[in-house]
Amino acid sequence: MSKLTRRHVLQTGAALGITGVISQGSPVAATTALPSLEKFVQPLPIPEQREPDEERDGIDHYEIPITEFTQKLHPDLPETTLWGYDGVFPGPIIKSQRDQQVNVCFDNSALPEEHLFEVDDRIDGTSPEDYPDQYDVSDVPEVRTSTHLHGLNIEPESDGQSLAWTSPAGVTGPMYEKDVQEVPNHQARLSGVYHDHALGITRLNVYAGLAGFYFIESEAETELGLPEGKYDIPLLLQDRAFNEDGSLEYPDRFVADYAGDTAVVNGAVWPELEVEPRRYRFRLVNGSNGRAFNLRLEHESDESVPTMYQIAPDQGFLESVVSIGSDEDLDSLLLTTFERADVVVDFSEYAGETFTVTNDAEWPYMGQNDGSDLDELLQIRVTDPSEEPADPSANPTEIDLPGFDGFDEDDVAETRHMTMNMALEDGLGINLLNDSRMFDEDAVVEPELGSTEIWELENGTSHTHPIHLHLVGFEVIGRGPDGTDDPDPNERGEKDVVRVEPDETVRIMTRFENFTGRYPWHCHVLEHEDHDMMLPFEVVPADDEDEGHPEPPDQPGECGPPDHAGEQGPPDHVGEQGPPDHAGEQGPPDHAGEQGPPDHASGSGRT
């Protein structure tokens, strides 16, 4: 494996005559598979909130099938074959209350055995050789899913990690432990997502449609007077490319970066949204594989536009409301992959006006916002009713947010320097963390349970990398060339994804609490994550903690109705339980604080 310098990458791209060079030397320009479809001719779909299927032992229980189906994404496009949760794209909203556990079963048994896209067996996780001493079959199943509950403080077995996959036939990955994922919700309010995370094919599964919304609502949130009901709208921003028959276009062989030429919002191509002249809340999620969105509201006649008021980042709340627009705190809202933002927009002075949500982030994203090949996403049309609509929601300029107390640097037990770099391996571009691969045991760091650490994330590549840590939220305490510049105004709250620009160091601080065990941290560009920009960290008991393995909690049961649950055992594991030998020993990971008091579990100042 040979390292690539940034200069080498740029020279390689120039030699190949490529516009918009990708950081790995395996570039693909944003695909144009179809003549352009007419924009803003269909309404924006609003995902429905999913009700629990039943209550088991006082806990709401969800049975969510993962299926293949067809869905019409544009009036002039034939129906598109997709994969989705509950038979829809995107998946439904799962809304929970802070400190109230829910259990979820994601059942993929109805999926076909053949993937929608070609599976490239050069990528880790797709071949038996990637699982030493674990498998006695000739092939790893082509179709595998593992649903990650993004941003949640959760036990490793319920996290939905890349090695915890299962196939429709019941073959399971080496870290698959249980059918039902237990979600304690002992943490800050959250406008989050659930999405696929299966090793080596995450990019394919998410592109096929496997993403949905997960919300945690807190009492402090309900007391703010935010717009609610039909005036509270989630927006999943994605890009796709289509063939003439309506099918999704994706390369047959691995490419290090990929983007479509068509905006898809909540499962609709270039939709329009009709709003009343009043305040709305929008929960924005960048759910694309690798495209960044730098968002603005623009008027069709270049007239004034309403200000966006951001109240929350990935988790919790900001220190104070951040205004976004011309001559405001920020002039635009930048979201790299799987970053989120909650904003309030007041349309009350704009009856009869039309606005477009635009994007000027370049692709591939290297920190430049000078114009995009996908420059329009959604159109918003404000009605002009004869009577002013009632609006009991609070003026966003007057909202006193609960804020985020953050973590204390005096408590820091360890500062770790983490790097991002690129290389060529057998002619295939690869992004890496700490010059290591996922199964490099020497690369596993071991923070202690309850400890506070600073991670210095240094990006030595030409590509912006959105870095995500499972298990924890974190505080951005510095960015810039040496990590000492102030974070952006809308980063002054709890995050779980942070962008790191080329030649930049971003410093984050977090506390590893409530659970021990092994979790991943990775770049959230899905092509980078698949190959091979993901490493584990392992939360270990502190010296004064019990080193033994406590009895595992009672299993929450299996998928399916309770009167049938006992008829089927858990899916067969092909090979031994626990992760591969090179991933360290396993049994049920130690758990600490799982049943602890909510105030401790959710952390000080996290609402």
Side-chain angles (χ1 to χ4, degrees):
M1 183 168 63
S2 60
K3 286 189 179 180
L4 285 179
T5 65
R6 185 176 181 184
R7 176 174 294 180
H8 183 188
V9 169
L10 295 173
Q11 290 173 340
T12 300
L16 294 172
I18 294 160
T19 302
V21 180
I22 316 289
S23 58
Q24 294 82 356
S26 299
V28 166
T31 295
T32 302
L34 267 184
S36 56
L37 297 163
E38 188 176 358
K39 298 178 182 178
F40 316 132
V41 294
Q42 62 175 330
L44 173 78
I46 308 298
E48 295 184 357
Q49 181 176 331
R50 178 62 147 77
E51 295 299 321
D53 291 275
E54 61 181 331
E55 189 177 283
R56 293 187 183 180
D57 298 323
I59 297 172
D60 284 344
H61 179 87
Y62 294 83
E63 293 273 344
I64 298 182
I66 304 173
T67 59
E68 182 176 289
F69 54 91
T70 62
Q71 186 171 312
K72 200 162 185 66
L73 306 186
H74 189 276
D76 297 330
L77 195 64
E79 291 204 346
T80 301
T81 300
L82 299 160
W83 291 358
Y85 297 102
D86 244 13
V88 291
F89 166 59
I93 300 168
I94 302 175
K95 180 181 280 190
S96 58
Q97 299 299 310
R98 185 183 181 200
D99 297 327
Q100 294 184 14
Q101 180 175 325
V102 301
N103 293 340
V104 188
C105 170
F106 296 103
D107 180 7
N108 71 1
S109 61
L111 283 178
E113 295 184 1
E114 183 175 343
H115 209 288
L116 271 183
F117 308 112
E118 291 294 325
V119 175
D120 192 333
D121 61 9
R122 298 174 298 171
I123 305 306
D124 281 352
T126 60
S127 301
E129 296 78 17
D130 301 325
Y131 306 91
D133 305 321
Q134 297 296 312
Y135 288 83
D136 56 9
V137 293
S138 58
D139 293 305
V140 172
E142 186 171 295
V143 173
R144 300 171 285 120
T145 66
S146 176
T147 299
H148 172 49
L149 296 153
H150 182 114
L152 297 188
N153 183 254
I154 194 170
E155 63 174 355
E157 301 96 330
S158 295
D159 186 37
Q161 297 186 18
S162 60
L163 287 166
W165 50 259
T166 182
S167 78
V171 179
T172 63
M175 285 188 70
Y176 188 92
E177 293 286 343
K178 56 173 65 176
D179 289 349
V180 179
Q181 292 168 248
E182 299 175 82
V183 191
N185 295 316
H186 290 326
Q187 63 184 89
R189 54 85 34 211
L190 174 81
S191 294
V193 288
Y194 55 93
H195 63 83
D196 187 76
H197 209 308
L199 185 64
I201 55 172
T202 297
R203 70 198 186 283
L204 306 180
N205 289 352
V206 173
Y207 196 82
L210 293 184
F213 296 95
Y214 189 92
F215 299 159
I216 300 175
E217 188 176 74
S218 71
E219 183 177 342
E221 180 180 13
T222 60
E223 294 175 350
L224 293 177
L226 299 172
E228 57 186 11
K230 67 179 182 178
Y231 306 107
D232 178 359
I233 298 177
L235 295 174
L236 182 66
L237 310 178
Q238 298 178 303
D239 60 325
R240 293 292 186 268
F242 297 94
N243 297 306
E244 292 283 356
D245 63 358
S247 62
L248 293 169
E249 166 70 20
Y250 193 87
D252 289 343
R253 300 288 275 172
F254 176 80
V255 291
D257 287 83
Y258 183 76
D261 64 335
T262 304
V264 177
V265 183
N266 290 359
V269 170
W270 281 305
E272 64 171 353
L273 171 65
E274 184 177 276
V275 299
E276 298 173 24
R278 54 151 291 160
R279 288 182 283 269
Y280 281 75
R281 177 184 184 177
F282 297 102
R283 307 183 193 227
L284 295 139
V285 179
N286 181 348
S288 64
N289 276 34
R291 185 185 286 277
F293 294 112
N294 192 46
L295 304 173
R296 289 182 174 86
L297 283 175
E298 295 190 5
H299 191 279
E300 57 185 347
S301 302
D302 293 328
E303 297 180 11
S304 66
V305 301
T307 299
M308 294 185 283
Y309 294 96
Q310 187 174 348
I311 60 170
D314 301 334
Q315 304 190 19
F317 294 99
L318 292 168
E319 288 180 352
S320 59
V321 176
V322 173
S323 59
I324 302 172
S326 179
D327 299 321
E328 301 292 347
D329 297 330
L330 294 170
D331 66 357
S332 59
L333 174 59
L334 175 60
L335 297 175
T336 55
T337 48
F338 287 84
E339 285 190 291
R340 286 99 64 207
D342 282 32
V343 302
V344 175
V345 181
D346 188 348
F347 297 104
S348 60
E349 301 298 321
Y350 298 91
E353 303 293 327
T354 298
F355 306 99
T356 302
V357 179
T358 63
N359 165 49
D360 66 0
E362 293 184 356
W363 183 86
Y365 193 65
M366 302 179 187
Q368 302 299 314
N369 300 301
D370 298 326
S372 174
D373 58 302
L374 189 59
D375 59 357
E376 295 181 323
L377 305 180
L378 169 71
Q379 193 164 87
I380 300 175
R381 298 177 182 174
V382 188
T383 62
D384 189 5
S386 57
E387 295 185 7
E388 182 178 334
D391 187 357
S393 66
N395 185 330
T397 64
E398 300 173 355
I399 293 177
D400 184 17
L401 296 176
F404 171 55
D405 289 345
F407 305 102
D408 191 340
E409 287 200 47
D410 291 339
D411 295 335
V412 172
E414 184 98 28
T415 296
R416 304 183 190 273
H417 191 75
M418 309 300 208
T419 63
M420 289 153 252
N421 53 285
M422 62 190 84
L424 279 176
E425 184 178 68
D426 300 325
L428 192 64
I430 182 172
N431 279 291
L432 298 171
L433 298 169
N434 294 344
D435 275 323
S436 301
R437 303 284 289 265
M438 181 175 175
F439 295 135
D440 291 345
E441 190 65 19
D442 290 342
V444 179
V445 299
E446 296 183 342
E448 286 191 351
L449 180 68
S451 68
T452 300
E453 295 194 353
I454 289 175
W455 286 21
E456 300 173 341
L457 308 171
E458 180 187 0
N459 184 1
T461 78
S462 60
H463 199 298
T464 298
H465 296 288
I467 298 298
H468 172 50
L469 279 66
H470 286 221
L471 177 67
V472 296
F474 51 75
E475 179 182 2
V476 181
I477 59 174
R479 57 166 58 251
D482 60 1
T484 60
D485 294 349
D486 290 337
D488 294 339
N490 62 348
E491 292 180 318
R492 293 168 186 167
E494 192 168 9
K495 298 275 292 171
D496 54 55
V497 179
V498 64
R499 78 179 191 282
V500 188
E501 308 285 14
D503 299 323
E504 182 179 39
T505 296
V506 171
R507 300 169 67 242
I508 63 173
M509 181 165 52
T510 190
R511 184 167 56 246
F512 296 89
E513 55 188 354
N514 299 324
F515 299 101
T516 60
R518 192 162 285 210
Y519 296 86
W521 67 285
H522 57 85
C523 175
H524 223 303
V525 172
L526 301 185
E527 283 75 15
H528 296 185
E529 172 186 333
D530 272 349
H531 189 62
D532 201 3
M533 207 170 188
M534 178 162 59
L535 288 177
F537 65 89
E538 185 163 355
V539 182
V540 298
D543 291 340
D544 58 352
E545 295 283 342
D546 183 5
E547 292 284 350
H549 292 273
E551 289 296 319
D554 291 338
Q555 294 293 309
E558 300 168 3
C559 293
D563 55 336
H564 297 295
E567 297 179 8
Q568 55 181 3
D572 293 336
H573 287 262
V574 183
E576 302 174 4
Q577 291 244 2
D581 292 344
H582 47 247
E585 297 180 3
Q586 282 274 341
D590 290 341
H591 297 271
E594 183 177 11
Q595 302 299 324
D599 287 346
H600 172 263
S602 54
S604 172
R606 295 159 72 178
T607 53

